Structure formats: structure tokens, C-alpha cells
Amino acid sequence: LSDLAAMGATPRWALLAVALPDADDAWLGAFAGGLFALAHRYRVALIGGDTTRGPRNLCMTIVGELPAGTAVTRAGARAGDDILVSGRLGDAALALAALQGRVSLDGSALAALRQRLEWPEPRVALGERLRGIASAALDVSDGLTGDLAHILAASHVGATVDLALVPRAPSLAALLASDRRPLALECLLAGGDDYELCFTAPPAARPRLAALSSELGLPLTRIGTVTAETGLRVRDEGGATLASLPGAFDHFR
């Protein structure tokens, strides 16, 4: 759903291919309950697919629609545009790090972050409203440094991002100010699975975006600027450019 949201599309139909080792009624009941609750929420119809025996594997394809010529792509960012993100970044990655034993978090903080990891919120309503406002967009599924880089490459531009502006949870902010800063930077800049939207828009759109943020009850935070000079630069809290950036998720490594 988040891929469709990033293009401004409305989800409509789904195809589900399932391989299962056996017909476990309890597992199937729980899976179907969750699937159809989500489908009902977004008015998506399951229109086909396939079922076979084998190691458990699920593959779902979601099809959406939008008015002709209104799709928001990766290729429209222009020098001078603002760079914005919805919600917060790094929550899911920090939750995973805690579950892997790489960092300790108190129970309430971990519970909130784990909710973000296991129940991400697709920004469908935001994506639909960004048609005609955003010049480019992409969902943050593999990490900000990697996903923003896709926009920059497709648009043949660069960007400067201010680390201090990137929205983060209080627990992640505390880690940034501690000896666990490298892990915090990894979560904030390269952590995936938040499925927030990263998008660009001209400065003239700031009033419209502020109104949209208020209407949706969703923070939309300006974190940087698109530049004519190619490449991604991230400035730390003191304004110095980070010498290196944590690598985002790479599907083929």
C-alpha cells in the first residue's frame, strides 16, 4: 500500500499467491481475519491469486488507480524544492535492534516502537492529497539515505539534509546524544520499515502542506533542500557535513 501511496494512487484490487505446508485452520483464520480487516479499511477487493502446497510463502500484489497524468513519481524533484517526511523515522529499525539485543529500551518505549515495526501505517490519505503538490515522492521502506537517493538519481539533482530536523522518537533522540550514536544514526538515516513518505515540494506549497498536516493529524516535517549539485549531504547538529552515511538496506546484499 505504501508504494501506491507514494505515487498518489488509491488502492483498489489485490491478488494473493499463497504456498502453505498444510491447511492449519487456526493460522488461516487469524491470517484471513487480519487481511480482510485491512482490505475492508482501504476498500480493496481480493480478485484472485493462487494457492499451492509448499514452504510457507505469501506474495500479494496491490493494484491502484489515479486520474491520468497525476501520478507522483521519483523524477520530478527540482533544485530549491523542500524535502519533507511524514511522521517519524527510525522507529521500526530501533525496535528491531532492541529485539535483536543490540540495545536496551524500557518496556513502554519498546512497546510503542514495536507497534510501528509490526503494524506500519500506510500513508494512503496523504499520498492522495499530495497529487498536484509534491514534485516527487517515495516511501521510506529501505532507509532515508537509500530511498531519498532514488529520488535524487531519477531527478538528476542532489540534496542537503539537516540531521537535527529529521523527526525521531524520544528514545532515539537520547541514543543520538549518547555513546550509542552510531546505532542511532543507522536507525534514523538508514533504518527501513517505517513506510513513511519522503517527498519534495516547492517552497510555495508550505502553507498548503501545513494545512494538510493539520487536517490529517500527521506531522509533515521539512528536513532539507534539493540542490542542483548532485549527491546527498547530511549536516550534523553543528552544521558540519557527515563524512560518511550509514548504508540503507540493499535487497541484493
Side-chain angles (χ1 to χ4, degrees), residues 231-249:
L232 173 59
R233 294 159 293 280
V234 178
R235 296 188 297 211
D236 67 15
E237 296 88 342
T241 300
L242 294 180
S244 62
L245 299 177
F249 178 74

Side-chain angles (χ1 to χ4, degrees), residues 6-194:
M7 298 188 72
T10 301
R12 293 298 189 200
W13 307 279
L15 298 161
L16 175 64
V18 180
L20 296 172
D22 53 56
D24 182 330
D25 289 344
W27 187 92
L28 285 170
F31 171 75
L35 173 66
F36 285 110
L38 188 62
H40 177 74
R41 177 181 173 187
Y42 291 100
R43 300 180 181 179
V44 172
L46 182 61
I47 61 172
D50 189 31
T51 305
T52 187
R53 180 185 294 273
R56 184 175 294 168
N57 185 52
L58 309 172
C59 181
M60 175 168 278
T61 301
I62 308 290
V63 181
E65 64 179 359
L66 44 67
T70 66
V72 183
T73 71
R74 305 177 182 187
R78 303 174 184 87
D81 280 356
D82 293 333
I83 303 169
L84 302 99
V85 293
S86 63
R88 296 190 315 222
L89 299 186
D91 285 11
L94 184 56
L96 181 59
L99 293 173
Q100 292 173 333
R102 299 172 62 200
V103 66
S104 296
L105 299 173
D106 67 57
S108 60
L110 178 56
L113 295 173
R114 189 168 182 173
Q115 179 77 10
R116 293 269 289 152
L117 172 66
E118 298 177 350
W119 296 86
E121 184 73 20
R123 302 302 185 186
V124 174
L126 171 61
E128 292 172 337
R129 299 294 297 277
L130 287 179
R131 299 176 199 155
I133 301 177
S135 52
L138 204 145
D139 67 315
V140 184
S141 56
D142 298 329
L144 177 64
T145 57
D147 290 321
L148 177 55
H150 294 319
I151 291 178
L152 303 181
S155 301
H156 307 291
V157 291
T160 298
V161 168
D162 287 301
L163 179 66
L165 299 180
V166 181
R168 77 292 304 263
S171 51
L172 189 49
L175 285 177
L176 272 174
S178 74
D179 59 358
R180 303 307 308 276
R181 183 176 174 86
L183 174 62
L185 286 174
E186 176 188 328
C187 292
L188 187 62
L189 296 178
D193 294 335
D194 288 309

